[in-house]
Amino acid sequence: MLEIKGVLQEQTERVISVTKNKFTKTLPTPFTNKMGITFQTVGECILFSTFHEGMHLETIKRIYKSTINK
């Protein structure tokens, strides 16, 4: 659990350093995910990725809550 927390805390700096001044950059080829959403820019990918990570976090929270209430 501590390892995951550490990686997530460092994630902000990694994303900033890799994407600095690139949010509006057009992707070489548009990317369409399994949901049918097409991304044209780096920023669109980052925005969706943040949303998607939030879904994972909610799942982790639910699993955690289910284990402490037993």
Side-chain angles (χ1 to χ4, degrees), residues 25-56:
K25 184 176 180 181
T26 303
L27 299 173
T29 304
F31 171 74
T32 302
N33 68 11
K34 291 180 182 179
M35 295 175 57
I37 301 170
T38 300
F39 304 99
Q40 304 286 336
T41 67
V42 171
E44 290 172 351
C45 292
I46 296 294
L47 183 61
F48 182 81
S49 179
T50 303
F51 161 76
H52 187 78
E53 289 299 315
M55 293 174 60
H56 287 286

Side-chain angles (χ1 to χ4, degrees), residues 17-33:
S17 68
V18 170
T19 62
K20 193 169 186 166
N21 300 320
K22 295 181 184 172
F23 276 84
T24 58
K25 184 176 180 181
T26 303
L27 299 173
T29 304
F31 171 74
T32 302
N33 68 11

